[in-house]
Every structure is written in structure tokens, then in C-alpha cells.
Amino acid sequence: MDNAAAWKRLEGWREDASSVAVLTDIDGTLAPIVPTPDMSEVPGELLDLLRELSGRYLLVAGISGRKTEDAFDLIGLDEVVYFGNHGFELLRDGEVEVIPDAMPFLERVQELESRAREELVPLGAFVEEKGITASIHYRNAPPETGERSVAFVKAEGERLGLRITVGRGVVEARPPIRADKGTAVRALVEEYRPKKAMFLGDDTTDLDAFRELAALLEEGTLNEILRVGVRSDEGPPEIVTEADIVVDGVEGVGEVLRALAGR
Ligand SMILES: [Mg+2]
């Protein structure tokens, strides 16, 4: 679909808001990218628009890689549903829910966290409490602590049947099931049953959401979709090539939300 046809579709959805789900990434889409994540802020005008859209559309949801409570703190609207922690948790009406497929692993993640607290914290590592996933940070610890942390978490992860990933200064454990922005989109669509759904995003992990929308359309679960790509210098090229509508930065996202609100 070309850009003009996609905008026309978007405007048409206003008349049918009760069957439309508005799903969006947060960082880089609603909140401009800033040097450190704790400085992120969603502009007030976008918050007003999100509040208005929540009252009118079937569903407005923020989907983020961040901890679910952090996703909530960025937007702060009770009317919005938040999917966080890379698709493992959602927060609505003030309660965090772990997705059902991940629940059987919660105790094992907690066991790994408590073992890491005994073994690694005395060496200078930091255990971040993230609920259904565990993150052990060692960026500010001596190099031996980093090596020990990775080896320890890998061994414990294997024993407990968890998936382990090593990042920059961090080793993470998570349930060994697929959870990403795509599975989050599917879970919301299957629960809220919109006929039309859109996703707005700027980065690689958002492509999972774009592709899941395409699959939901293909199988007939959704009648119409819109993928809104937020163009930036750091984003992958597919965020533009796989989008129906391409906008520039957070200001461009404002145009999309204003069109949904009819402003
Ligand atoms: Mg983003």
C-alpha cells in the first residue's frame, strides 16, 4: 500500500474506532531518544492524545523492552495497557501479569536470582529485580566478577532450564519460550479482538510486531493493518521498507495520533 492510501485508511479508522487497536513502541517512538534511558520523557501533547484515544478506541497499548513498571511510568495513564519486559509481562489496572506460557518458569528465575545474590553480589555484581526475567549486571565490577557471573549464570541457567543471553556488562536469564513484541501483539489481538490494528515503532525489535500484524491479517484474524515506521538515523532500513506509513521521529508520530483523534 502506498503512503497516501495508508493515510486514507488511517483516517477511515476514526469512524470505526471501537474495532481498532492502537499499539505502539515507547522509546524512540513516543519518547525521543536521550543519552540515558532514565531521562526519557513522552511530550505532553502526545500524552493528551493517548488519553483521548484510549477513551475512543477499543485498545491503546504501549509495548516496550523495558521493565513493565518503567513502561507505565513513562506514559503514566491508567487507561493504557502496557506490555513490557520483551513481551513477558503486561500491566493493566495497576496489576502486573506474567504471560501464561512463562508462569511455570517464575520460581526458577527467582531461584537463580537468589543464588546470584548469594554468590555474585559479594563480588560486586548487581541483581536487577525484573520479575519473570533476571538481569545480573557487572559493568562496574572487576573483570573477574564479570567472568565469574557469566559462568555462574550459564551453569545455573542450564540446570534450571532457562535461556541465558550475555549483553554488554550484563548476563540475563529468561524462560525458554518465544516472547517479543510480535507475541505481545498477538496476545492483545486475541484477547481484545479488534478487526483493525496498527503498530508504531522505530527499531529492530519492532519488526517482530510488524510481521505478526501481517500474519494476523493473512490468517484472517484482522481485516486491516497499518505498520507505522518511525525513521531515524540509528534505526534499521526495514523499519522504513516494511512500513505502510513512514514518519520522521516523535513529531511524525504526533501527526499520526492527531489524525486518529481527528484533530
Ligand atoms: Mg523504540
Side-chain angles (χ1 to χ4, degrees):
M1 193 177 357
D2 67 39
N3 206 47
W7 275 99
K8 210 170 160 72
R9 168 172 287 181
L10 176 74
E11 278 153 23
W13 283 11
R14 244 186 352 246
E15 309 310 319
D16 205 10
S18 62
S19 66
V20 173
V22 179
L23 314 173
T24 178
D25 169 49
I26 302 178
D27 286 277
T29 298
L30 297 177
I33 298 292
V34 287
T36 61
D38 59 333
M39 292 165 67
S40 294
E41 252 183 42
V42 180
E45 194 217 344
L46 294 198
L47 293 178
D48 289 342
L49 283 162
L50 289 170
R51 185 182 294 113
E52 185 179 333
L53 297 176
S54 304
R56 192 147 136 192
Y57 284 79
L58 174 63
L59 171 68
V60 175
I63 303 181
S64 170
R66 285 186 187 241
K67 215 162 103 174
T68 315
E69 290 90 340
D70 292 351
F72 172 79
D73 287 344
L74 270 169
I75 295 179
L77 297 173
D78 289 325
E79 305 93 316
V80 169
V81 172
Y82 302 85
F83 230 114
N85 211 350
H86 304 283
F88 279 112
E89 291 175 350
L90 70 157
L91 188 155
R92 59 186 149 192
D93 307 322
E95 299 277 342
V96 175
E97 306 164 32
V98 172
I99 59 166
D101 289 351
M103 265 322 266
F105 298 95
L106 185 58
E107 271 183 32
R108 298 191 218 171
V109 171
Q110 287 167 343
E111 184 179 339
L112 186 139
E113 280 176 337
S114 88
R115 296 274 294 119
R117 251 183 236 109
E118 287 165 22
E119 294 285 328
L120 304 173
V121 169
L123 306 176
F126 166 69
V127 178
E128 183 188 3
E129 305 213 352
K130 285 181 83 176
I132 190 61
T133 67
S135 293
I136 290 90
H137 300 266
Y138 48 83
R139 190 171 299 147
N140 302 319
E144 316 80 86
T145 300
E147 287 158 29
R148 173 82 183 115
S149 297
V150 171
F152 180 84
V153 173
K154 277 187 172 167
E156 284 296 294
E158 191 164 326
R159 182 175 72 81
L160 295 163
L162 300 172
R163 182 174 300 157
I164 306 302
T165 54
V166 181
R168 291 166 62 193
V170 62
V171 54
E172 296 182 293
R174 61 181 65 189
I177 56 171
R178 183 186 161 206
D180 54 35
K181 291 185 182 179
T183 57
V185 162
R186 176 170 290 273
L188 290 171
V189 166
E190 289 180 349
E191 181 175 345
Y192 287 85
R193 303 246 152 232
K195 286 284 140 225
K196 303 167 178 149
M198 69 191 306
F199 186 85
L200 303 91
D202 71 309
D203 211 343
T204 310
T205 57
D206 299 314
L207 297 171
D208 293 322
F210 279 9
R211 291 165 191 170
E212 202 69 33
L213 282 183
L216 288 159
L217 178 69
E218 177 82 11
E219 73 195 41
T221 307
L222 290 170
N223 296 342
E224 289 183 14
I225 62 169
L226 281 171
R227 291 156 293 190
V228 179
V230 182
R231 182 162 41 201
S232 68
D233 295 337
E234 300 87 45
E238 294 92 336
I239 214 74
V240 170
T241 56
E242 294 189 20
D244 304 299
I245 291 177
V246 177
V247 298
D248 284 307
V250 172
E251 294 91 69
V253 171
E255 285 170 45
V256 171
L257 299 186
R258 279 194 293 275
L260 286 170
R263 287 200 199 160

